[in-house]
Amino acid sequence: MPVPLFDTATPLEPLRDRLHAAAAGVLDSGRFVLGPEVEAFERELAEHLGVAHVVGVANGTDAISLALQAMGVGPGDDVVVPSFTFYASAEAIPATGARPVFCEVDPETACVTPQTVRAALTPQTKAVITVDLFGNVAPSQEIAEQLGVPVLEDAAQAAGARRNGRRAGAFGAAATFSFFPSKNLGAFGDAGAVVTDDGELAERVRMLRFHGSRDKQTFELVGRNSRLDELQAALLRVQLPELDGWAQARRAVAQAYADAGLGELVALPAPVQGAEPAWHLFVVRHAAAEGLERALNEAGIGARRYYAVPVHRQPAMAPVAAGVELPMTDELARTNPALPMSPALGREQVEEVVAAVRACASGST
């Protein structure tokens, strides 16, 4: 039977009645922007993460830009960011007037380290973006402590993950989430959030998301319109209590892959030390990744290479990435295929995926 790369529908099936009721409640209320559902979701997510403040915004990309602005990043500043990530992690930086400076990642975890960040620091570095890639948890705290630079944790792919007893999103001066529908905690459209323990930073984000105003009358900052919708907040509230169970199921799938011998065929992703990844994506490495991806898809197994053109090689980044060489990033981009991952993935499906990899791997070279 075919095994899709994503299965977002099956985990939501038991929640359909509650999701419908939540949507109907918003429609009946007549409140659609920055109302009680957003306030409740912000409070509940803050309690879940163990942080003081959550500010809902329109999407994960805006979350990064607004958080950087609130951290004081602006024209003339540099922000260090990994190139092996989704484009938005870097795209959000020029919106502040700052310049992205690209760094390498650890080849085993695909996350930045204090060493890879240190190599990219400049005299103008104002902040570092650490990315909890594929649901792993980057060593954000060590980077901030060892390098003395404010860290913004991009936790978009890591909802439900932990490290050293703390949840992803609880590290750094602030953190950001995307609730794009395919994420571990997914909305039914675009949605995002900035989280922080810094009350002043949170207040600046609240103003920036609403045209730089506190009261709709006086505009103290040049902000933007980036507000989390009531409907999305209501639907996210239904799902939030399920997140830990879904994350544990993802870890169980990763363990099932290992138990079924997948590590004999491809290089498995490694958790950052102390991390309990939520495995938004299960990205392995194989020397002939492109051929393996093609063969698996032909066999009905969802597989896809991620970030095959890393950010520093994207055309739009040419003006700031001229001469940048990141050999490990290029190698990861060339050799990674993602395999099916979902809280609903059963052991039989795992074994089917591994059998298909076994059959396809030798022929993919």
Side-chain angles (χ1 to χ4, degrees):
M1 294 292 291
V3 183
L5 184 62
F6 290 104
D7 179 2
T8 57
T10 301
L12 295 179
E13 189 62 33
L15 306 179
R16 286 180 67 88
D17 289 346
R18 291 165 56 196
L19 290 167
H20 287 174
V26 173
L27 293 175
D28 292 342
S29 74
R31 295 286 302 277
F32 302 115
V33 177
L34 294 185
E37 293 293 341
V38 170
E39 292 175 3
F41 175 67
E42 290 175 339
R43 182 177 62 253
E44 291 162 8
L45 182 59
E47 292 172 355
H48 173 85
L49 295 173
V51 300
H53 305 279
V54 169
V55 184
V57 298
N59 55 70
T61 309
D62 278 0
I64 298 172
S65 293
L66 294 172
L68 289 174
Q69 285 181 260
M71 291 167 65
V73 172
D77 295 330
D78 288 345
V79 178
V80 176
V81 63
S83 177
F84 192 60
T85 182
F86 181 56
Y87 180 67
S89 300
E91 179 191 28
I93 297 169
T96 69
R99 180 181 73 132
V101 176
F102 298 104
C103 72
E104 282 279 29
V105 293
D106 175 74
E108 303 300 322
T109 66
C111 290
V112 295
T113 70
Q115 292 74 32
T116 67
V117 171
R118 182 181 284 112
L121 293 177
T122 75
Q124 290 75 42
T125 299
K126 190 67 173 285
V128 173
I129 295 176
T130 60
V131 180
D132 296 335
L133 200 67
F134 304 141
N136 218 332
V137 187
S140 300
Q141 185 172 1
E142 291 94 320
I143 289 168
E145 292 174 350
Q146 293 180 28
L147 304 184
V149 181
V151 168
L152 175 62
E153 179 190 3
D154 178 354
Q157 297 184 6
R162 297 175 181 263
R163 182 166 185 254
N164 297 330
R166 297 170 64 190
R167 294 185 184 274
F171 301 96
T176 61
F177 283 94
S178 165
F179 304 117
F180 187 76
S182 64
K183 294 296 193 291
N184 294 1
L185 180 63
F188 290 71
D190 282 317
V194 177
V195 309
T196 183
D197 283 325
D198 185 330
E200 292 185 4
L201 192 154
E203 183 60 20
R204 286 195 294 273
V205 175
R206 290 189 188 98
M207 294 172 64
L208 288 166
R209 75 174 175 183
F210 190 69
H211 305 289
S213 177
R214 303 173 196 264
D215 59 7
K216 302 184 184 182
Q217 302 294 327
T218 303
F219 299 90
E220 303 172 49
L221 303 171
V222 177
R224 67 181 71 182
N225 181 0
S226 182
R227 300 171 300 211
L228 177 62
D229 292 338
E230 280 285 284
L231 180 62
Q232 300 300 347
L235 296 171
L236 287 165
R237 290 184 66 201
V238 173
Q239 298 175 72
L240 181 59
E242 312 297 325
L243 179 58
D244 280 346
W246 289 340
Q248 184 55 43
R250 290 174 179 274
R251 286 189 282 270
V253 170
Q255 185 60 53
Y257 272 134
D259 294 344
L262 183 62
E264 302 166 6
L265 309 170
V266 296
L268 301 180
V272 172
Q273 184 177 10
E276 301 172 63
W279 298 130
H280 168 60
L281 295 166
F282 197 72
V283 177
V284 301
R285 286 179 290 132
H286 187 271
E290 186 175 2
L292 180 59
E293 174 192 7
R294 181 172 57 251
L296 287 172
N297 282 313
E298 290 173 354
I301 303 297
R304 182 192 306 167
R305 284 194 302 153
Y306 273 79
Y307 320 136
V309 180
V311 182
H312 76 289
R313 297 199 180 279
Q314 294 292 343
M317 292 295 163
V320 295
V324 173
E325 293 296 333
L326 301 172
M328 184 50 61
T329 290
D330 288 335
E331 181 69 3
L332 286 171
R334 186 185 69 81
T335 59
N336 85 82
L339 301 180
M341 172 54 73
S342 163
L345 203 66
R347 185 167 294 275
E348 290 185 3
Q349 290 174 301
V350 166
E351 292 174 352
E352 187 173 349
V353 171
V354 175
V357 173
R358 192 180 303 278
C360 294
S362 59
S364 66
T365 59

